[in-house]
């Protein structure tokens, strides 16, 4: 998904490289499963990893444009150790230059109280929630201002199996810093990530005015 609001950037590629590393000294196998925002499975990829091997897969080729969702790694041996990452690049229209890049670490779902800082001062802050379980969960979300007083937002979100929900907090915090707390009703069920996008002004030139003579 291309987060820029500038129409010039609309077709620029947001590349998502799923990077899977085998931390064991023996061959490992498993499957990468891709889900869209509604939790529907859109692709499945069998993976064979050599000892201490690495596998990179372009999720942008699978999901297509304007998609959000999650990727799940299901190893054949549940006690084997792996590292799962999404390395995301926001490319410019020309060449191999890009506007930004960062890594998202794969984590296990949680039922504990989670918290994440937010900042809407000159930026857009999106709280991304995802259900890692194959059953529906409920997630209590509260957003507090930097003073930590009364919450500005409190709501329970119902997430279908493997579904994703993005809460844009810009209008809630309204240019402030803040904190979100997240608590799911089931163990090992939710992951939460705060995405911060710095905003820059888009200059729109005044059209040339003409008058008949």
């Amino acid at each position: 998904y291309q987060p820029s609001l500038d129409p010039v950037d609309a077709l620029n590629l947001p590349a998502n490289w799923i990077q899977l590393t085998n931390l064991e000294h023996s061959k490992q196998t498993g499957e990468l499963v891709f889900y869209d925002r509604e939790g529907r499975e859109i692709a499945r990829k069998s993976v064979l990893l050599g000892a201490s091997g690495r596998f990179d897969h372009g999720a942008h080729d699978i999901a297509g444009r304007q998609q959000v969702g999650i990727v799940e790694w299901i190893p054949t041996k549940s006690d084997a150790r792996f590292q799962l990452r999404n390395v995301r690049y926001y490319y410019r229209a020309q060449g191999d230059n890009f506007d930004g890049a960062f890594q998202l670490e794969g984590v296990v779902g949680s039922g504990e109280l989670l918290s994440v800082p937010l900042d809407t001062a000159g930026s857009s802050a999106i709280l991304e929630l995802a259900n890692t379980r194959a059953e529906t969960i409920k997630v209590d979300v509260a957003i507090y201002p930097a003073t930590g007083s009364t919450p500005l937002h409190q709501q329970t979100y119902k997430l279908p199996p493997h579904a994703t929900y993005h809460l844009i907090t810009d209008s809630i915090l309204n240019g402030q810093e803040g904190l979100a707390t997240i608590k799911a009703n089931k163990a090992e069920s939710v992951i939460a990530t705060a995405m911060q996008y710095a905003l820059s002004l888009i200059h729109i030139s005044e059209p040339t005015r003409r008058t008949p003579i």
Side-chain angles (χ1 to χ4, degrees), residues 157-189:
Y157 294 88
K158 187 176 181 180
L159 294 180
H162 302 297
T164 301
Y165 181 78
H166 285 192
L167 175 60
I168 300 175
T169 67
D170 301 3
S171 61
I172 299 171
L173 287 169
N174 195 25
Q176 304 178 72
E177 297 176 346
L179 178 80
T181 61
I182 303 99
K183 181 72 170 68
N185 68 331
K186 294 181 180 178
E188 299 181 352
S189 62

Side-chain angles (χ1 to χ4, degrees), residues 189-209:
S189 62
V190 71
I191 56 177
T193 304
M195 300 297 299
Q196 302 281 161
Y197 297 101
L199 302 179
S200 59
L201 294 177
I202 302 173
H203 176 70
I204 301 177
S205 59
E206 183 73 12
T208 303
R209 299 182 184 274

Side-chain angles (χ1 to χ4, degrees), residues 19-188:
Q19 182 187 105
L20 181 64
T21 305
N22 180 9
L23 302 181
E24 302 291 340
H25 299 299
S26 58
K27 179 178 69 177
Q28 300 295 327
T29 59
E31 287 187 312
L32 285 170
V33 186
F34 298 80
Y35 302 94
D36 67 10
R37 74 178 70 209
E38 304 298 330
R40 294 182 293 253
E41 182 179 325
I42 56 176
R44 186 176 288 255
K45 176 74 175 178
S46 296
V47 179
L48 169 63
L49 285 166
S52 304
R54 186 177 120 178
F55 175 79
D56 293 85
H57 194 59
H60 46 278
D61 293 331
I62 293 174
R65 293 185 179 275
Q66 304 300 96
Q67 287 270 19
V68 297
I70 59 172
V71 182
E72 180 180 41
W73 167 240
I74 306 176
T76 303
K77 291 183 63 179
S78 60
D79 59 344
R81 297 171 302 127
F82 302 89
Q83 182 182 65
L84 178 66
R85 286 175 171 165
N86 178 12
V87 186
R88 186 176 298 169
Y89 298 88
Y90 289 107
Y91 280 93
R92 295 175 187 163
Q94 302 296 326
D96 293 329
N97 296 324
F98 51 89
D99 291 316
F102 54 87
Q103 293 184 349
L104 292 163
E105 296 289 339
V107 294
V108 177
S110 175
E112 301 297 319
L113 181 66
L114 306 175
S115 63
V116 62
L118 301 166
D119 185 358
T120 59
S123 64
S124 182
I126 294 90
L127 178 63
E128 300 185 3
L129 306 171
N131 179 5
T132 64
R133 294 179 71 109
E135 59 183 313
T136 298
I137 64 170
K138 293 180 179 179
V139 184
D140 294 327
V141 175
I143 297 178
Y144 296 86
T147 56
S149 55
T150 305
L152 301 172
H153 174 89
Q154 276 187 302
Q155 188 169 333
T156 299
Y157 294 88
K158 187 176 181 180
L159 294 180
H162 302 297
T164 301
Y165 181 78
H166 285 192
L167 175 60
I168 300 175
T169 67
D170 301 3
S171 61
I172 299 171
L173 287 169
N174 195 25
Q176 304 178 72
E177 297 176 346
L179 178 80
T181 61
I182 303 99
K183 181 72 170 68
N185 68 331
K186 294 181 180 178
E188 299 181 352

